[in-house]
Amino acid sequence: MPDLTPVTGTAERRPGEPKTSAARARFDTIYTEIRNRICLLRYPPGHALAETELATEFGVSRTPVRRVLHRLEYEGLVESRHGVGTIVTRMDLQRLREIDALRMRLSELIGDLSPTARHPEDTLHMRALLHRCRAIRDRIDLEEFGRINIAVHEELSKAIGNQALREMNDHLFFQTARVWLQFLPMTNWREEIDAFCGEITDLAAAMELNDLSTLGHIRRNAISMSRVRMQRYFSG
């Protein structure tokens, strides 16, 4: 039986955005939780998601759960199979490379398309994530790595003022986050943690200076370097 402790809450409402209805807030909560469970491999590839069980867990009817699963299917995280149900999808390396190539290009636009200024508390949040990252250098903790990775992405996402760019960036990130988590046990754990800590350190420094253009380039370079290391790990 998987651990069903909530992963995160709903996404933070951005300044100027209208308040959401109770139904929308409930949808967002369920969507975020199931999506993050998939990305943290609580629901691994091939896992079947039962509408009835999820509805019971979240205390709702099957209708909002079905809507959440439809959205996750649109985003490529699950697929509906006739006679089987809703299954968490798999991703091959070629697809991963294609998505990462696009993510790198999009990262370069973060500082160009209506960036949102960062504040001192944002830097503090990033430094807290750096502390958490350093804490797992000497112990393999895949879920904590995944949680930190999602949290770093969410901090970066707050700097993107262009809604279309933010939505596409989010969409692609959550497609790939779980794939890298699957590969981590086959890599040099300390090397990966050191690289991630280095990225977070650079991001925190850029946020402190409110250098929004640099934020995107730091993320772009981190994606590129992680894929180079992956090729090295798996080429022998």
Side-chain angles (χ1 to χ4, degrees), residues 21 110 112 124 142 155:
S21 66
I110 289 177
D112 297 333
L124 291 176
L142 293 177
E155 287 298 326

mmCIF file of all heavy atoms in Angstrom, residues 21 110 112 124 142 155:
data_model
loop_
_atom_site.group_PDB
_atom_site.id
_atom_site.type_symbol
_atom_site.label_atom_id
_atom_site.label_comp_id
_atom_site.label_asym_id
_atom_site.label_seq_id
_atom_site.Cartn_x
_atom_site.Cartn_y
_atom_site.Cartn_z
ATOM 1 N N SER A 21 -12.795 29.687 -7.103
ATOM 2 C CA SER A 21 -13.981 29.138 -6.451
ATOM 3 C C SER A 21 -13.583 27.920 -5.633
ATOM 4 O O SER A 21 -12.482 27.365 -5.793
ATOM 5 C CB SER A 21 -15.003 28.729 -7.506
ATOM 6 O OG SER A 21 -14.485 27.648 -8.282
ATOM 7 N N ILE A 110 13.028 33.251 -19.952
ATOM 8 C CA ILE A 110 12.475 33.625 -18.652
ATOM 9 C C ILE A 110 12.720 35.096 -18.342
ATOM 10 O O ILE A 110 11.833 35.792 -17.842
ATOM 11 C CB ILE A 110 13.056 32.723 -17.543
ATOM 12 C CG1 ILE A 110 12.486 31.306 -17.671
ATOM 13 C CG2 ILE A 110 12.746 33.298 -16.156
ATOM 14 C CD1 ILE A 110 13.049 30.318 -16.671
ATOM 15 N N ASP A 112 13.244 37.474 -20.491
ATOM 16 C CA ASP A 112 12.881 38.358 -21.613
ATOM 17 C C ASP A 112 11.394 38.671 -21.703
ATOM 18 O O ASP A 112 11.020 39.753 -22.164
ATOM 19 C CB ASP A 112 13.327 37.724 -22.946
ATOM 20 C CG ASP A 112 14.834 37.558 -23.026
ATOM 21 O OD1 ASP A 112 15.550 38.338 -22.368
ATOM 22 O OD2 ASP A 112 15.288 36.651 -23.738
ATOM 23 N N LEU A 124 15.393 33.607 0.444
ATOM 24 C CA LEU A 124 15.438 32.795 1.661
ATOM 25 C C LEU A 124 14.865 31.404 1.396
ATOM 26 O O LEU A 124 15.402 30.396 1.892
ATOM 27 C CB LEU A 124 14.663 33.481 2.790
ATOM 28 C CG LEU A 124 15.289 34.762 3.356
ATOM 29 C CD1 LEU A 124 14.368 35.390 4.403
ATOM 30 C CD2 LEU A 124 16.657 34.458 3.970
ATOM 31 N N LEU A 142 15.557 9.505 -2.675
ATOM 32 C CA LEU A 142 15.003 9.906 -3.961
ATOM 33 C C LEU A 142 13.792 10.819 -3.813
ATOM 34 O O LEU A 142 13.638 11.792 -4.563
ATOM 35 C CB LEU A 142 14.619 8.664 -4.770
ATOM 36 C CG LEU A 142 15.773 7.779 -5.239
ATOM 37 C CD1 LEU A 142 15.234 6.549 -5.962
ATOM 38 C CD2 LEU A 142 16.716 8.552 -6.150
ATOM 39 N N GLU A 155 9.779 27.848 -7.501
ATOM 40 C CA GLU A 155 10.370 29.158 -7.231
ATOM 41 C C GLU A 155 10.738 29.855 -8.535
ATOM 42 O O GLU A 155 10.518 31.058 -8.695
ATOM 43 C CB GLU A 155 11.604 29.011 -6.335
ATOM 44 C CG GLU A 155 11.306 28.671 -4.889
ATOM 45 C CD GLU A 155 10.499 29.759 -4.193
ATOM 46 O OE1 GLU A 155 10.699 30.963 -4.506
ATOM 47 O OE2 GLU A 155 9.657 29.435 -3.342
#
